[in-house]
Amino acid sequence: SDAKTYLPGGKVKLNVRTLLEGKPVAAEVSVGVVDQGVYDISPDTTNLYSAMYPERYDQVQTAYSFPEVYLDGGDKGTSKVPFRKNFRDTAAWLPAVWTGSTGSAQVEVTLPDNITGWRVTVAGLTDRSEAGITTGTFQAKKPLMVRLGLPQFLVEGDQMRLTAVVANDE
């Protein structure tokens, strides 16, 4: 990436280079930008050899996925601070990026509003079936962040002391 940190919703420029024995080589690569937390829950166990030459079974498999929608309950009051609304686990999936004879390509990714670490995974394949995979990371964060510590519930007449953690990275 062109930087180590970005603002949520910012644009990231990823420079992809494909090399074989230190020399540029044309290749088709896939580029994925995924929330690092996904890999904390389920580590990446990608094996290029078994992915390229899988065992084949005589069976049919069916899978179903559906988008989840979370509603926040509407407006929480007026403010000039823009609300972050676009939260996703995957910032980008580019399955076919061609690096050409120079062995390089540049892609631009617009981040969602997540404040998190992002992992970039690039897997490539040349016309001669030479394959490779690599990863990189960067962070999306704001220069000033406030995290409130609130109880799970309150009832009328309860009193509490508000706890806040303020991080100023400027």
Side-chain angles (χ1 to χ4, degrees):
S1 60
D2 59 338
K4 285 291 181 190
T5 60
Y6 298 88
L7 289 172
K11 292 196 183 296
V12 177
K13 288 183 183 171
L14 299 171
N15 296 306
V16 179
R17 290 185 341 170
T18 51
L19 305 171
L20 180 63
E21 298 176 355
K23 296 179 184 171
V25 63
E28 184 174 67
V29 298
S30 65
V31 180
V33 182
V34 178
D35 187 328
Q36 182 64 45
V38 171
Y39 297 106
D40 292 340
I41 294 169
S42 179
D44 185 3
T45 58
T46 302
N47 179 323
L48 280 182
Y49 182 81
S50 63
M52 290 177 64
Y53 304 103
E55 289 185 29
R56 303 267 183 197
Y57 298 101
D58 187 18
Q59 63 182 9
V60 175
Q61 295 179 343
T62 303
Y64 174 74
S65 65
F66 62 94
E68 295 183 25
V69 177
Y70 299 99
L71 303 176
D72 67 352
D75 189 11
K76 304 296 186 233
T78 60
S79 173
K80 293 183 181 184
V81 177
F83 284 103
R84 295 179 298 123
K85 298 176 185 173
N86 181 20
F87 298 99
R88 294 182 287 150
D89 294 336
T90 303
W93 167 239
L94 307 167
V97 176
W98 182 248
T99 62
S101 60
T102 62
S104 64
Q106 189 176 72
V107 295
E108 189 172 271
V109 173
T110 301
L111 295 176
D113 291 335
N114 306 44
I115 294 177
T116 188
W118 292 98
R119 175 176 150 174
V120 181
T121 304
V122 179
L125 185 67
T126 69
D127 288 342
R128 294 180 48 197
S129 296
E130 297 146 331
I133 188 168
T134 190
T135 62
T137 60
F138 61 85
Q139 298 286 320
K141 61 183 182 176
K142 290 191 160 222
L144 178 66
M145 295 192 290
V146 178
R147 294 179 184 94
L148 300 177
L150 301 171
Q152 289 184 333
F153 61 89
L154 291 171
V155 295
E156 187 177 347
D158 283 353
Q159 294 184 2
M160 65 159 286
R161 188 174 289 184
L162 179 66
T163 304
V165 176
V166 179
N168 186 353
D169 289 338
E170 285 207 21

